[in-house]
Amino acid sequence: MKGNELRQVYLKFFESKQHLILDSFSLIPENDPSLLLIGAGMAPLKPFFTGKLVPPRTRVTTCQKCIRTGDIENVGRTARHHTFFEMLGNFSFGDYFKKDAIHWAWEFLTEVIKLDKNRLYVTVYPDDQEAYDIWHKEVGMPEDHITRLEDNFWEIGEGPCGPDSEIFYDLGESRGCGEPDCAPGCDCDRYLEIWNLVFTQFNRTADGEYVPLEKKNIDTGAGLERLASVLQNKESNFETDLIFPIIEKAAEMAKVTYHTDANTDVSLKVIGDHARAITVLISDGVLPSNEGRGYVLRRILRRAVRHGRLLGIEGRFLTDLVDVVIDILGSGVPGLIEKHDFIKRVVANEEDRFNQTLAQGLDMLGALINELKEAKATEVPGAEVFKLYDTYGFPWELTEEIAGEAGLTIDMAGFESAMAEQRARARAAREDVDAKVATPDITFLRDEKLTDDESATSSEVLMLGEGATRLDSASDGMEVTLIVRTTPFHAEGGGQLGDTGFIVGPMGKMEVHTTKKLPEGTTYHVGTIVEGNLQVGDTVQFEVDTTRRLAMARNHTATHLLHAALKQVLGNHVNQAGSLVMPDRLRFDFTHFSPVTAEELQQITDLVNGEILKAVSLNIQEMSMDEAKKLGAMALFGEKYGDRVRVVTVPDFSIELCGGSHVVNTAVIGTFRILSEGGIGSGVRRIEAVTGEAALQLAQKEQAELREVATLLKTKPEDIVARAQQLVEETKQLEHELAAARKELMSGGLDAVLNTAFDAGEFKAVVADVKAADMDELRSTADMVRDKIGSGIVLLGMAGDDKVNFVCMATKDAVKAGFHAGNIVKATAQAAGGNGGGRPDMAQAGGKNPSALQNALEKGKETILSMVK
């Protein structure tokens, strides 16, 4: 059965079981900042499992694209490690549970794709008797084909979790290790895991308690490539029809033969795997960059290019492999065929860029490795790793891999230090560039009509520049200036910072750090290409940071109101001496010869907020300078004005010349608060203030802190200072007394706990209730008791107002003798209305009934004694 056919057969089978078939989700997670890329079939469905979203149906089936790079160094060296793979899955959201999940898996494997029943094995969690009985009594799986494994429990910290059951296919004795106890779970290649059924039936609390879920879920995953390798009787996933045609094409291009040399095979498999990952990542919108997902793509692509070089392939070759990937996967993976040409363009651009420096970088690294080995060194210096990264585009992981092949490690701390220094230099350089006009000669644009339009959503790139040099294109990492025909970005001026955001082209993205104007009025953008590349002539989309812009507009209009209020309160001698309008605050410098009193600051604040509360609509007009002067408009400090000027008026309060961003109505400012006032020079004062969201957050923070402090001090807000002074004195005395008391208590208390020791066979066991402040202290006490007895088992419990907690520890020799901390603590917790479990050497659990503490510890003691052999 071909891979594409297998994908459809699986989905159609579960559709016949009333499952809704959903297309594979994008590799880019939606609203999940915890994930960089989708790496499992259930990952996009998490909101349905957690209850945050209602699923389109309670039964769903998918074939999900997945990317994993955690063990990328194993790709090509094992039969089944991949960066890209497809995960078949069927999911139940509070609908069916273990019985149906197990029966349907068996039906699909034995009746639909007709695998030999005698070669199928399963593993179950030791305590999951329900799953064991379904496999043995209902399905008919022989007992010697079922293995109980501690690892068969799926959980990630707090949240939904539960036991799982894995299905294995026996590839035959020739693939095994030959050991008599070889079985599923062995590290050899004989038993291939083809399916995992996760039974999500508990919710793990922060206390380590396992609370049964009201609605139990099913989450399964079966590797498409693995199933294909079994059905097609191939030694590895790489030889299936899903991957092998790519390997054949790469071998043809390299003029080598597969299966004649181990090193050649590794490189061919790496290329075969990576070509699939590259193609699918780009089709889902990931572009090469030095950060995040784009870095994952770049790392995979450059690793593939390097293995092509090892095979003797010169020049560009990955674009031809993209054709093969899309021939294979295009019919089953949405989006590939439609984006075929685009994917090849991105790959070609990135491959060409890396090829320009690859040979030189490999030569340098080879020489460096030889020098280090001659000097008996074992580590590549971090500065050299960074040089390869910065100069030759080598991801540090690639340098680590090549160095590892020569028996060397890399100095990651040194690399990260060099990277931090480079980022600091880049920031300083960017600030320097931003501070001056950094753009090439633009006289060639004199016949172009360039406009500013805040409503513009797209336009054409007319110029790219790096320093004073004009460019046809710019790739990620480059600091550039960019001019478009029509821009919605507002340029820096009038003390207001320039707009920021993103300019997005068909093959790349630029992060705009600031927007400026040339003396003759042309608006240009300064920023960094963060993904892919941009070219002159590209039609680009604009993503202005409108939240930031509105925040600056609030502060800018508030600056005008502040200026007018200062004149009213302090006198007409007040004139602006400078200003800075930022998203988070405003700064206003003015002429005045004495500190502004608290009463005057309050009057100024009241005047400004009074205009805000009036909800006055601004009047913004363009007119001649003469007309503006007749209206009495004030000119702002440091501004140059042409024949036509822009006049911003707050009726009956303020009128100024200004080219900056403003709110349409004073009410949009929200509120105005002065943060500070002080002198900055002879006769010049400075006020800093906040408006809008920043002012609201400040008020909320102060109010919350005041309430919290008052509550903590058990007093009224107005009495906080006196109460705090009293408590400081009391605390000093209590700390001294407490330190002495705790030291004495811990010593005496530990002896009392140790006196409860009893014999459990040849081991000592301690079961006791203790006084502990929290779980950390309970675990710490258990650690000390275990260390004191040296060899044996420790079970401690503590009761609180509404719960009870337990911790159990067993020394290594006790575990070998058959004692299991997880099972002991589980039995103990169940006697107190809880549940739990854990590792054989350490486990913790919780219960809901503190009054049952002693009975629970007695149950724990019985359980310990029952394990004596």
Side-chain angles (χ1 to χ4, degrees):
M1 186 181 289
K2 301 294 184 185
N4 286 327
E5 182 185 355
L6 174 59
R7 186 191 298 112
Q8 288 305 309
V9 166
Y10 179 92
L11 296 173
K12 289 297 182 182
F13 172 78
F14 279 100
E15 186 179 44
S16 74
K17 305 298 184 185
Q18 290 75 53
H19 287 64
L20 174 66
I21 299 175
L22 294 180
D23 285 340
S24 173
F25 292 82
S26 170
L27 287 167
I28 300 175
E30 183 177 356
N31 299 322
D32 190 348
S34 68
L35 295 177
L36 189 65
L37 291 161
I38 294 298
M42 66 79 64
L45 305 174
K46 278 201 299 185
F48 302 145
F49 282 112
T50 59
K52 289 183 179 179
L53 292 177
V54 177
R57 195 179 296 176
T58 55
R59 300 180 181 186
V60 163
T61 184
T62 65
C63 183
Q64 175 62 43
K65 298 173 287 188
C66 298
I67 289 284
R68 293 182 188 174
T69 58
D71 46 10
I72 193 173
E73 66 280 355
N74 289 324
V75 173
R77 303 183 187 280
T78 71
R80 283 159 202 98
H81 274 96
H82 299 293
T83 53
F84 168 74
F85 60 95
E86 293 183 76
M87 183 69 77
L88 299 164
N90 57 284
F91 308 93
S92 166
F93 309 110
D95 192 330
Y96 63 86
F97 200 47
K98 293 180 188 178
K99 181 182 178 70
D100 288 329
I102 291 173
H103 277 280
W104 289 338
W106 184 253
E107 180 183 349
F108 179 78
L109 293 174
T110 61
E111 297 181 24
V112 178
I113 61 175
K114 302 186 185 307
L115 296 186
D116 183 350
K117 297 179 181 179
N118 295 319
R119 299 178 74 170
L120 292 172
Y121 291 73
V122 299
T123 58
V124 297
Y125 186 60
D127 293 345
D128 193 359
Q129 190 62 39
E130 180 185 4
Y132 186 98
D133 289 342
I134 295 172
W135 280 117
H136 179 52
K137 296 179 181 179
E138 298 184 22
V139 171
M141 179 82 73
E143 287 187 313
D144 61 358
H145 279 227
I146 306 175
T147 304
R148 296 180 188 265
L149 286 182
E150 286 289 341
D151 289 341
N152 282 93
F153 195 94
W154 184 90
E155 63 180 336
I156 306 177
E158 296 178 46
C161 59
D164 60 70
S165 181
E166 295 171 316
I167 306 174
F168 293 80
Y169 185 80
D170 183 1
L171 297 173
E173 291 185 16
S174 62
R175 303 289 291 276
C177 58
E179 296 294 328
D181 59 348
C182 183
C186 181
D187 291 335
C188 73
D189 287 337
R190 175 171 178 176
Y191 295 97
L192 171 65
E193 181 199 337
I194 56 175
W195 206 336
N196 188 16
L197 314 177
V198 179
F199 312 125
T200 309
Q201 62 190 82
F202 299 114
N203 181 59
R204 181 179 173 177
T205 68
D207 297 332
E209 185 178 356
Y210 293 81
V211 180
L213 289 170
E214 183 179 343
K215 290 187 176 181
K216 298 173 173 59
N217 306 309
I218 290 292
D219 160 25
T220 80
L224 176 65
E225 295 82 3
R226 291 190 180 194
L227 278 178
S229 73
V230 171
L231 289 174
Q232 297 171 19
N233 196 26
K234 300 297 183 182
E235 286 190 10
S236 77
N237 297 354
F238 293 94
E239 286 148 29
T240 67
D241 69 313
L242 291 167
I243 305 176
F244 196 62
I246 313 168
I247 291 175
E248 288 182 308
K249 180 66 175 178
E252 175 191 325
M253 298 171 80
K255 298 181 175 57
V256 297
T257 304
Y258 183 69
H259 255 351
T260 58
D261 177 82
N263 290 330
T264 296
D265 286 355
V266 168
S267 290
L268 288 171
K269 289 176 183 177
V270 168
I271 292 169
D273 169 88
H274 288 11
R276 293 180 358 127
I278 292 161
T279 301
V280 179
L281 278 166
I282 296 171
S283 76
D284 276 355
V286 179
L287 294 172
S289 74
N290 280 336
E291 300 288 343
R293 302 179 188 101
Y295 182 73
V296 173
L297 170 60
R298 170 162 289 163
R299 178 188 174 194
I300 293 171
L301 189 148
R302 294 188 171 185
R303 194 170 186 266
V305 172
R306 185 245 171 175
H307 278 276
R309 282 290 186 276
L310 291 177
L311 294 175
I313 302 175
E314 297 294 332
R316 186 193 298 172
F317 71 97
L318 287 177
T319 48
D320 289 343
L321 298 185
V322 169
D323 294 335
V324 183
V325 174
I326 293 177
D327 283 344
I328 297 169
L329 298 179
S331 62
V333 179
L336 291 183
I337 294 174
E338 296 84 348
K339 297 180 180 177
H340 193 153
D341 291 340
F342 173 74
I343 295 168
K344 291 185 69 173
R345 284 175 61 198
V346 174
V347 170
N349 185 75
E350 181 68 11
E351 194 174 359
D352 288 346
R353 185 178 177 193
F354 190 42
N355 279 333
Q356 291 172 5
T357 56
L358 177 60
Q360 191 176 356
L362 286 173
D363 288 344
M364 179 206 162
L365 180 55
L368 176 62
I369 287 173
N370 289 335
E371 290 175 13
L372 292 169
K373 294 184 78 172
E374 287 176 9
K376 307 296 185 187
T378 60
E379 186 178 66
V380 181
E384 298 295 340
V385 178
F386 177 75
K387 182 178 178 182
L388 284 160
Y389 167 84
D390 195 42
T391 307
Y392 301 107
F394 274 47
W396 66 262
E397 296 92 342
L398 184 56
T399 302
E400 181 180 47
E401 182 175 339
I402 296 171
E405 291 167 359
L408 301 174
T409 59
I410 66 170
D411 171 21
M412 272 306 296
F415 169 78
E416 289 169 354
S417 175
M419 177 70 85
E421 290 175 8
Q422 193 260 9
R423 284 174 175 155
R425 288 194 300 271
R427 278 195 300 271
R430 183 159 64 237
E431 289 167 2
D432 186 51
V433 167
D434 292 351
K436 58 180 181 287
V437 176
T439 184
D441 179 6
I442 65 160
T443 53
F444 73 100
L445 293 176
R446 60 175 166 261
D447 294 328
E448 296 281 356
K449 184 179 180 183
L450 307 181
T451 57
D452 296 343
D453 180 358
E454 287 190 2
S455 65
T457 57
S458 66
S459 189
E460 177 189 356
V461 176
L462 298 179
M463 192 219 74
L464 281 164
E466 186 178 34
T469 304
R470 277 173 54 191
L471 304 171
D472 293 325
S473 66
S475 299
D476 71 287
M478 295 178 67
E479 303 280 342
V480 297
T481 54
L482 179 146
I483 295 174
V484 293
R485 191 179 304 280
T486 300
T487 181
F489 286 78
H490 196 282
E492 178 182 309
Q496 178 179 320
L497 300 181
D499 274 344
T500 62
F502 292 93
I503 295 176
V504 184
M507 291 180 58
K509 178 189 285 189
M510 172 182 175
E511 181 178 1
V512 179
H513 302 309
T514 189
T515 307
K516 293 177 174 287
K517 275 190 184 292
L518 293 171
E520 42 71 59
T522 298
T523 299
Y524 67 100
H525 313 83
V526 180
T528 304
I529 308 296
V530 292
E531 287 182 358
N533 70 92
L534 292 180
Q535 300 178 2
V536 172
D538 279 352
T539 297
V540 291
Q541 311 297 314
F542 302 118
E543 297 177 3
V544 180
D545 187 341
T546 52
T547 300
R548 178 178 180 274
R549 173 191 277 174
L550 180 57
M552 288 197 295
R554 289 189 179 104
N555 286 335
H556 204 152
T557 303
T559 300
H560 286 214
L561 298 178
L562 173 61
H563 192 180
L566 285 165
K567 282 184 172 291
Q568 286 191 40
V569 173
L570 302 181
N572 282 327
H573 66 277
V574 169
N575 285 304
Q576 180 180 330
S579 73
L580 180 62
V581 176
M582 294 171 285
D584 58 332
R585 68 187 192 280
L586 65 91
R587 191 176 76 203
F588 190 77
D589 300 339
F590 58 98
T591 54
H592 188 58
F593 299 96
S594 61
V596 183
T597 66
E599 292 77 15
E600 289 169 335
L601 287 174
Q602 188 60 56
Q603 291 177 49
I604 293 163
T605 300
D606 291 345
L607 276 171
V608 173
N609 281 312
E611 289 302 305
I612 293 170
L613 290 172
K614 287 179 185 176
V616 179
S617 294
L618 273 69
N619 183 7
I620 301 177
Q621 298 173 291
E622 284 195 1
M623 62 185 67
S624 70
M625 178 59 87
D626 288 339
E627 290 175 307
K629 287 179 178 178
K630 289 177 183 177
L631 288 175
M634 290 187 291
L636 292 184
F637 175 82
E639 282 290 291
K640 295 185 176 71
Y641 301 100
D643 293 334
R644 300 288 296 176
V645 293
R646 187 165 175 262
V647 179
V648 177
T649 303
V650 180
D652 302 322
F653 195 79
S654 166
I655 179 168
E656 296 188 16
L657 305 182
C658 183
S661 297
H662 287 275
V663 298
V664 296
N665 186 289
T666 58
V668 177
I669 299 171
T671 189
F672 170 86
R673 293 188 63 181
I674 292 176
L675 299 177
S676 64
E677 188 278 338
I680 60 169
S682 179
V684 180
R685 310 292 297 178
R686 171 174 291 172
I687 282 178
E688 294 202 10
V690 290
T691 67
E693 187 174 355
L696 177 62
Q697 289 174 349
L698 177 62
Q700 290 172 333
K701 178 174 177 288
E702 291 173 347
Q703 187 178 39
E705 288 173 347
L706 189 64
R707 285 199 303 265
E708 186 176 358
V709 171
T711 300
L712 290 171
L713 300 184
K714 297 180 179 179
T715 189
K716 298 176 182 179
E718 59 266 28
D719 297 330
I720 282 176
V721 174
R723 178 65 173 151
Q725 289 173 336
Q726 175 190 351
L727 288 175
V728 165
E729 295 303 318
E730 292 178 1
T731 301
K732 287 179 182 178
Q733 179 62 29
L734 287 172
E735 284 176 348
H736 178 73
E737 295 173 2
L738 183 61
R742 182 171 285 278
K743 185 175 180 181
E744 182 179 349
L745 182 63
M746 285 292 289
S747 176
L750 196 60
D751 290 338
V753 171
L754 289 168
N755 287 337
T756 68
F758 60 93
D759 292 331
E762 62 184 277
F763 297 92
K764 287 291 184 185
V766 172
V767 177
D769 66 309
V770 298
K771 303 295 183 184
D774 50 31
M775 278 299 294
D776 286 340
E777 191 169 313
L778 185 65
R779 282 192 297 268
S780 178
T781 305
D783 280 333
M784 288 190 288
V785 175
R786 180 192 58 196
D787 293 341
K788 285 283 187 182
I789 64 174
S791 178
I793 308 96
V794 179
L795 172 63
L796 302 182
M798 70 172 189
D801 294 334
D802 57 358
K803 64 181 178 180
V804 59
N805 287 310
F806 303 97
V807 64
C808 184
M809 296 180 180
T811 57
K812 289 183 178 179
D813 52 348
V815 171
K816 287 182 180 178
F819 293 92
H820 193 293
N823 294 340
I824 294 168
V825 85
K826 180 177 181 179
T828 305
Q830 286 177 341
N835 207 338
R839 304 192 309 267
D841 62 329
M842 188 276 180
Q844 64 187 51
K848 300 176 181 177
N849 187 0
S851 64
L853 174 60
Q854 294 302 325
N855 289 338
L857 290 173
E858 282 298 319
K859 181 64 178 177
K861 185 174 183 179
E862 292 173 15
T863 307
I864 292 171
L865 292 173
S866 72
M867 293 180 178
V868 176
K869 294 183 179 179

